[in-house]
Amino acid sequence: MKTVCPNCHHSEIEGSLFCSECGTSLITQDGLSTAAIPGGAVRLADEKNIAPPKPPPSVAVDADASLHIVRTGQILPLIGREEYTIGRVSEGQSILPDIDLTPYEAFTLGVSRLHATLKITNDALSIIDLGSSNGTRVNNLKITPHKEHSVNHGDIIALGQLKIQALVRQE
């Protein structure tokens, strides 16, 4: 069974929390659902004039790459491996992610149990969406599932609606 986005009418997998095309919440409460705000009702800032968030200052950790949880400011160093699965833990789950985002409201924000894989090779970082329900975006551009996508220092990765900034050591 499919769910249809009330905003852009994109067809989604049953159980999706957010539309993978426009990001609209697909959760309804008391029969109410989200909808687009009519044009002109709200004045939006010109995106060209909005500077991307600056990476936090270097952290004294011996890591080639780290993840900065934008909402909390916490930094998760990636140490000791070349590949990490990221997602959230759920009761009865047999395969667990290497990086558990449950403490950062991952379920509410649409992070899948096994959402993506991060790879560190030759001081470079890449991400692969593992066919997640709510998609993965890098700098607001949706990436193709099961295809490796390069990530640079300062890039914003959105797993569903959870935003993480990539911090890659620059030599």
Side-chain angles (χ1 to χ4, degrees):
M1 185 176 233
K2 298 278 185 174
T3 299
V4 176
C5 174
N7 184 45
C8 71
H9 306 290
H10 184 262
S11 183
E12 291 292 336
I13 299 171
E14 182 69 29
S16 295
L17 299 176
F18 299 95
C19 175
S20 63
E21 288 300 311
C22 70
T24 298
S25 175
L26 300 177
I27 301 171
T28 60
Q29 295 177 347
D30 301 324
L32 300 175
S33 63
T34 60
I37 297 172
V42 176
R43 182 181 167 101
L44 300 175
D46 181 4
E47 288 183 348
K48 293 178 186 172
N49 293 331
I50 299 174
K54 292 183 180 175
S58 296
V59 179
V61 176
D62 188 26
D64 287 330
S66 299
L67 301 177
H68 169 232
I69 308 295
V70 174
R71 176 177 267 175
T72 66
Q74 186 166 355
I75 295 178
L76 307 173
L78 303 177
I79 300 173
R81 301 178 80 174
E82 292 179 357
E83 191 170 306
Y84 298 85
T85 56
I86 52 179
R88 62 178 171 82
V89 173
S90 179
E91 188 175 325
Q93 184 176 347
S94 58
I95 301 173
L96 302 176
D98 299 315
I99 300 171
D100 179 19
L101 298 172
T102 304
Y104 310 103
E105 300 180 40
F107 176 77
T108 305
L109 296 171
V111 176
S112 293
R113 292 177 185 139
L114 295 175
H115 197 105
T117 296
L118 288 170
K119 289 184 177 183
I120 304 170
T121 52
N122 301 328
D123 298 327
L125 185 65
S126 62
I127 189 164
I128 302 167
D129 181 274
L130 297 174
S132 63
S133 296
N134 296 303
T136 301
R137 294 177 182 271
V138 175
N139 294 328
N140 218 21
L141 297 172
K142 186 175 180 184
I143 66 171
T144 305
H146 307 291
K147 192 170 182 184
E148 195 164 337
H149 186 86
S150 161
V151 177
N152 297 309
H153 178 71
D155 284 353
I156 299 295
I157 301 167
L159 306 173
Q161 297 293 310
L162 178 65
K163 293 190 176 168
I164 300 170
Q165 186 173 35
L167 304 176
V168 182
R169 181 180 298 220
Q170 314 242 302
E171 297 295 329

